[in-house]
């Protein structure tokens, strides 16, 4: 009974020590075995691994491609047009020994701070060597490649491989946006004013052409009307002349009646003339004329 009571704790301790000497490396990670802070083994292959219990410890690191978003920074291109750049990077840990020596116990958080510094330096150096138009043009891909290549060289000392660097957003600083919008608005208003001026000019040309066409058509119509009127008057006069030649006495009588109609018509019925005027020849009766002649 005493022996069983002694063996059970021993077995438990041995089992605990045995279990503590075993650890599993996941396929998504790598592990370092440390003894008193010194690296004694690197476990990169997934599966079961061993370590000395109590003396050694295991530190795990992610073996996947990791993402790091850099806080927006302000850069000044060659044309002194300040820009706010937002970028991100993809990286992975390739050398665990070197990574541990570079970041110490800070792990991945310390590595991210170091990567942020590397990316900021590369962004300022590369984007500061070109103009803002280059950054906003199709040359952007080449600039990102330059930034990535520079980051790869610097991150190699950390045991890290930079896989890719991308620019997410490139904007003007907030204090410059209002001035830029005002400038854009003024430019659009100027273009609108130019368009309206060109439209008014075209409208004036159309109106002038229409007015000219109206004058030309009116003048031509009046000219044709005068010609027709003149031809009609000529024909009328010819008819009158023929009629006068055929019966002069009747023509004279007709002309006198027409004159009476015009002179004595409507409100103009009072005339002051000499009774012996030839105008009244056809108003005198034959009897009156003969009486006057007998007297």
């Amino acid at each position: 009974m005493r022996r069983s009571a002694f063996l059970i704790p021993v077995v438990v301790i041995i089992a605990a020590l045995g279990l503590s000497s075993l650890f599993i490396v996941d396929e998504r990670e790598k592990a370092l075995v440390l003894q008193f802070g010194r690296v004694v083994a690197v476990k990169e292959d997934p599966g079961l691994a061993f370590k000395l219990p109590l003396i050694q410890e295991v530190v795990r690191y992610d073996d996947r491609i990791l993402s790091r978003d850099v806080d927006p920074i302000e850069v000044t291109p060659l044309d002194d047009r300040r820009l706010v750049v937002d970028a991100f990077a993809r990286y992975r840990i390739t050398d665990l020994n070197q990574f541990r020596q570079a970041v110490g116990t800070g792990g991945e958080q310390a590595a991210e701070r170091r990567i942020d510094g590397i990316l900021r330096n590369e962004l300022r150096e590369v984007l500061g060597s070109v103009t803002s138009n280059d950054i906003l043009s199709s040359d952007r891909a080449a600039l990102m490649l330059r930034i990535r290549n520079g980051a790869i060289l610097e991150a190699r000392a950390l045991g890290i491989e930079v896989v890719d660097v991308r620019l997410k957003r490139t904007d003007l600083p907030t204090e410059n946006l209002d001035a830029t919008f005002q400038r854009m608005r003024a430019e659009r208003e100027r273009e609108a004013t130019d368009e309206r001026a060109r439209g008014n000019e075209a409208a004036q040309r159309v109106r002038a052409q229409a007015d000219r066409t109206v004058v030309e058509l009116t003048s031509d119509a009046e000219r044709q009307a005068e010609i027709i009127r003149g031809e009609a008057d000529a024909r009328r006069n010819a008819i009158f002349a023929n009629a006068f030649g055929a019966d002069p006495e009747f023509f004279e009588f007709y002309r006198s009646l027409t004159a009476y109609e015009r002179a004595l018509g409507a409100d103009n019925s009072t005339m002051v003339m000499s009774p012996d005027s030839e105008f009244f020849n056809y108003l005198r009766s034959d009897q009156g004329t003969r009486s006057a002649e007998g007297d």
Side-chain angles (χ1 to χ4, degrees), residues 13-208:
I13 293 173
I14 293 174
L17 292 175
L19 292 175
S20 64
S21 65
L22 298 175
F23 65 94
I24 297 175
V25 179
D26 191 270
E27 65 272 8
R28 294 168 296 181
E29 62 184 12
K30 297 178 181 180
L32 287 179
V33 179
L34 304 179
Q35 182 173 330
F36 305 115
R38 183 173 58 86
V39 178
V40 296
V42 178
K43 304 297 183 181
E44 296 185 350
D45 297 327
L48 189 64
F50 299 91
K51 68 178 180 66
L52 296 178
L54 303 179
I55 300 175
Q56 296 178 344
E57 62 175 334
V58 178
V59 179
R60 304 173 188 272
Y61 297 101
D62 205 321
D63 191 35
R64 295 172 294 181
I65 294 178
L66 304 176
S67 177
R68 180 59 183 170
D69 287 336
V70 182
D71 293 335
I73 63 171
E74 188 174 294
V75 299
T76 304
L78 288 177
D79 52 4
D80 293 331
R81 184 182 181 185
R82 294 185 301 164
L83 297 174
V84 176
V85 179
D86 191 3
F88 70 91
R90 297 285 187 268
Y91 71 97
R92 67 183 303 175
I93 302 170
T94 55
D95 191 330
L96 290 183
N97 269 324
Q98 194 170 1
F99 182 79
R100 179 72 182 186
Q101 293 175 4
V103 302
T105 59
E108 294 176 2
Q109 292 182 351
E112 288 178 350
R113 290 193 293 270
R114 299 282 293 273
I115 291 173
D116 287 351
I118 292 173
L119 291 178
R120 288 193 188 96
N121 292 337
E122 290 298 323
L123 287 170
R124 289 193 174 97
E125 180 179 352
V126 173
L127 300 183
S129 63
V130 296
T131 64
S132 57
N133 290 333
D134 295 331
I135 298 174
L136 301 175
S137 68
S138 58
D139 295 335
R140 187 187 183 108
L143 297 176
M144 290 189 292
L145 184 61
R146 287 176 55 188
I147 295 170
R148 190 202 70 173
N149 293 339
I152 287 175
L153 296 177
E154 293 192 36
R156 192 172 294 166
L158 303 177
I160 292 174
E161 178 189 2
V162 176
V163 178
D164 195 13
V165 176
R166 294 286 172 178
L167 301 179
K168 293 194 299 183
R169 184 170 55 92
T170 305
D171 292 332
L172 292 170
T174 304
E175 58 272 17
N176 293 351
L177 287 177
D178 291 339
T180 302
F181 291 152
Q182 291 294 336
R183 192 162 55 249
M184 293 172 62
R185 184 179 296 110
E187 180 66 20
R188 297 299 178 270
E189 289 177 354
R190 184 188 63 79
E191 293 178 358
T193 302
D194 292 343
E195 288 294 332
R196 283 193 293 268
R198 285 192 289 269
N200 291 332
E201 181 182 357
Q204 291 293 337
R205 286 198 299 269
V206 172
R207 292 192 190 98

Side-chain angles (χ1 to χ4, degrees), residues 4 71-72 123 125 169 189 218 241 250 262 273-274 277:
S4 298
D71 293 335
L123 287 170
E125 180 179 352
R169 184 170 55 92
E189 289 177 354
T218 303
F250 174 78
R262 293 176 181 175
M273 298 182 67
S274 172
S277 175

